[in-house]
Amino acid sequence: MAKQTTEAQWLADPAPQIEFQRSVLRGLSAPRKSLECKYFYDERGSALFDEICRQPEYYPTAVETGILEHCAAGVADLTGPGAELVELGSGASLKTRIVLRALQRPARYLPVDISAEYLQAAAASLADEFPDLKVRPVVADFTAPFRLPARISGQPRLLFFPGSTIGNFHPRDAAQFLGKTCRELSADAMLIGVDLKKDRAVLDAAYNDAAGVTAAFNLNLLERINRELDANFDLDAFEHRAGYVERRGRIEMHLRSLRDQEVRVAGRKIHFAAGESIHTENSYKYSVDEFRELAARSRWQMTHSWLDERALFSVYLLKPA
Ligand code: AVJ
């Protein structure tokens, strides 16, 4: 399994335990409790996220996949032959296959992900499927500074940032992040997927699937804290809450305490009032105009846009301005 072609670039430990502990204690000591959503993705969390993507209510994955199937050939023409593809938050690399199959003789694939074990497995199976492709997984938290292998000179570099992962950032931070990728990753273009604003019933359902997978994904964060930070969260004493907050243009996810309780986390006692919640994730939604604006503020120019016919999801090609 540890084939030469998928040898990881162990550039840095992407999520040191001490940082995890510091982040959790900081978040749970604040007057309004919160946890950083990047910590959802331990091995079990990554698997649960894949399961979310298969739920009928969670339209982003299926709709974005359809858009990519439709636009990939055009993107490949605009990119040119021999390109390398860099993916931020690659997960299981499922959508990547559509882009890789369309590109003309892609030279290399650099998946970047915070979940080391998961990344290894995904990269290995992709390398099996594309025997001519060099696959170089990069274990990194892409929200923190990280390094990529040097560009292959003379070959185009295409960034791939699908799944509306950009929606996790506050718009101000999103602009800053996109600006930084533009300056530092020396890409010729970025293909990015962004969830659109829409009817709230559709949005609310996507984050409250009937099978309860999103709830399990949210609650897994507490399980992870129990496992890794010597905590004693009672998972039956918290409930998953998610909904669209229209004035902010975002889905908010929370874990709500069902009773007054005290929880031990890494040697500290954390008090929860009944009904108090931990804010665990934001998922911002953008209209095409809003996202064009955001890109322009961060040195990118939107050159192409693709939407599904119901205007549920959008995919854009951005070029450095
Ligand atoms: C991976 C951040 C795009 O916000 O829709 C899915 C994560 N959270 N269901 C999203 C998520 C709950 C997802 N992103």
Side-chain angles (χ1 to χ4, degrees), residues 14 19 38 112 140-147 169 177 180 184:
E19 223 178 81
K38 67 182 180 189
V112 182
D141 169 8
F142 64 76
T143 66
F146 70 99
R147 290 197 306 140
F169 294 85
F177 176 74
K180 200 180 70 158
E184 293 175 8

Side-chain angles (χ1 to χ4, degrees), residues 41 49 52 58 60 163-165 168 206-207 214 217 253 281-283 285:
Y41 302 93
F49 180 69
I52 288 176
Y58 193 73
S164 205
T165 304
N168 276 161
Y207 293 81
T214 307
F217 173 75
M253 285 216 313
E281 188 177 42
N282 286 323
S283 187
K285 311 301 172 187

Side-chain angles (χ1 to χ4, degrees), residues 2 14 22-23 45 68 83 128 178 209 243 246 258 286 294:
R22 210 176 286 140
S23 164
L68 288 171
D128 280 346
L178 291 177
D209 61 277
E246 190 153 13
L258 294 173
Y286 294 94
L294 184 87

Side-chain angles (χ1 to χ4, degrees), residues 17 20-21 24-25 28 35 39 42 44 216 218-238 255 259 261-268 270 272 278:
Q17 278 314 87
F20 179 38
Q21 175 169 322
V24 166
L25 288 176
L28 296 182
L35 291 167
Y39 293 115
D42 65 351
R44 174 159 163 73
N218 201 4
L219 284 158
N220 176 60
L221 196 44
L222 301 184
E223 285 184 76
R224 179 180 187 181
I225 294 169
N226 281 351
R227 277 196 297 271
E228 297 183 22
L229 300 181
D230 184 35
N232 64 349
F233 279 103
D234 173 1
L235 299 175
D236 295 326
F238 287 85
L255 289 163
R259 48 178 161 81
Q261 55 182 317
E262 205 146 81
V263 180
R264 174 176 45 83
V265 181
R268 297 252 290 266
I270 310 284
F272 290 88
I278 312 171

